[in-house]
Amino acid sequence: MIRTLLPLALALSLSIFTPSSAHAQGTSWRVLFDTVDQALNKGAGYKNSNNASGTLAWGESYIMMSYAAMFRATGAPRYLVSLADHALSVLDQRDNKKGLKDWAGKSRPCWQASKYSSNGKGYCWVVHSGILAAPMADLVLLLAQNPSYQKILLADGKTTLAQAAATVLAEVKKVVATHDYQYMSGPKTGEGYYRGDPAATAVVPNVAGKALPLNQMNTMGRTLVLLWKATGATSYKTRAQALATYFKNRIKLKGSSY
């Protein structure tokens, strides 16, 4: 089910329809998206799940992305409302909100998983934080670009989209900051990368103290780009550029593709 939501949303946002049939097809695809969305826990998706087995990272993140894509495709503010509602719920599942302690005995603003650890201990992965925080940062950006929707209320009838976005922004900053100690400048000028926690040798021996795989570190890179666009803070842009440079320097051109 979750694999259907984002492709449906992207199909709309990429305008794959011909001019003569775009309106009719767009309407039917939107109905299909809404039907699939409601079929998954009545629109709640996995927003109330924990991340022990990666359910939030590899399930809920794509649902949040799909709402952002649907808003871009349709302009309907209710998708922003859904994104805000899901974002706030997912933020409440973090270790510090649930009183969960990780392998090091710390309770931080991130989502630990135990499924991928060698010893079954909870560990907060950069890739999980990045993939979950990105659509949340996107919410802030989209609302900034569409200020007329700021006063729209969420389902609780009290919280406005502007209030939700302000909360989300503050908390996303905390998520990003909790991995700052894993960020390293270099090794070449202009480069930067995230590494696995160097002290977690018994938990994640394959990445402890080592540069993370490119796809893992750059989920956080996408979050940094969105935060920069949403806030204008150059610190996010600088780090995103360093990650991009690190990535670019490690891919090779073969023919017309990398």
Side-chain angles (χ1 to χ4, degrees):
M1 190 71 73
I2 60 172
R3 294 183 179 182
T4 305
L5 284 170
L6 188 54
L8 283 175
L10 289 175
L12 278 169
S13 65
L14 292 173
S15 301
I16 62 172
F17 313 106
T18 62
S20 61
S21 62
H23 178 71
Q25 290 184 333
T27 300
S28 63
W29 277 70
R30 179 175 171 180
V31 170
L32 177 57
F33 176 91
D34 292 343
T35 300
V36 173
D37 182 38
Q38 286 298 308
L40 189 56
N41 296 323
K42 297 181 179 179
Y46 299 111
K47 69 178 186 178
N48 298 314
S49 301
N50 63 51
N51 197 48
S53 298
T55 301
L56 291 176
W58 306 123
E60 179 60 27
S61 68
Y62 293 101
I63 294 174
M64 291 191 289
M65 289 180 217
S66 75
Y67 293 140
M70 284 300 289
F71 175 74
R72 285 189 167 93
T74 67
R78 71 184 194 83
Y79 294 114
L80 285 183
V81 171
S82 294
L83 176 52
D85 173 70
H86 279 243
L88 291 172
S89 292
V90 173
L91 286 168
D92 282 342
Q93 310 311 316
R94 289 173 299 171
D95 291 8
N96 63 320
K97 296 293 185 178
K98 291 295 186 180
L100 299 174
K101 293 184 178 180
D102 62 15
W103 66 276
K106 297 180 180 180
S107 186
R108 302 184 295 155
C110 52
W111 302 267
Q112 66 170 267
S114 54
K115 178 180 179 180
Y116 312 101
S117 303
S118 294
N119 60 1
K121 299 290 185 179
Y123 180 85
C124 283
W125 291 84
V126 170
V127 62
H128 289 178
S129 292
I131 203 169
L132 285 165
M136 297 180 187
D138 206 9
L139 166 67
V140 179
L141 175 61
L142 288 170
L143 194 59
Q145 294 171 338
N146 297 271
S148 62
Y149 296 146
Q150 290 182 356
K151 294 183 179 180
I152 293 177
L153 294 174
L154 271 57
D156 64 7
K158 299 181 295 183
T159 307
T160 65
L161 273 174
Q163 291 170 329
T167 297
V168 168
L169 176 58
E171 298 304 317
V172 166
K173 288 180 177 179
K174 294 177 185 177
V175 173
V176 172
T178 200
H179 294 285
D180 281 351
Y181 78 101
Q182 292 175 261
Y183 178 80
M184 304 293 292
S185 294
K188 296 179 181 179
T189 301
E191 293 184 345
Y193 64 96
Y194 282 95
R195 62 177 181 171
D197 190 322
T201 53
V203 189
V204 287
N206 290 338
V207 297
K210 303 173 185 177
L212 294 173
L214 295 173
N215 62 325
Q216 290 192 23
M217 70 173 76
N218 284 303
T219 61
M220 188 64 80
R222 181 171 58 171
T223 300
L224 293 169
V225 169
L226 290 166
L227 281 175
W228 162 56
K229 289 185 175 182
T231 68
T234 56
S235 59
Y236 296 123
K237 178 183 179 181
T238 299
R239 184 169 293 189
Q241 287 178 320
L243 288 168
T245 301
Y246 182 95
F247 172 80
K248 182 180 179 181
N249 289 342
R250 282 157 184 79
I251 56 177
K252 296 179 180 180
L253 185 64
K254 185 177 181 179
S256 59
S257 61
Y258 284 97

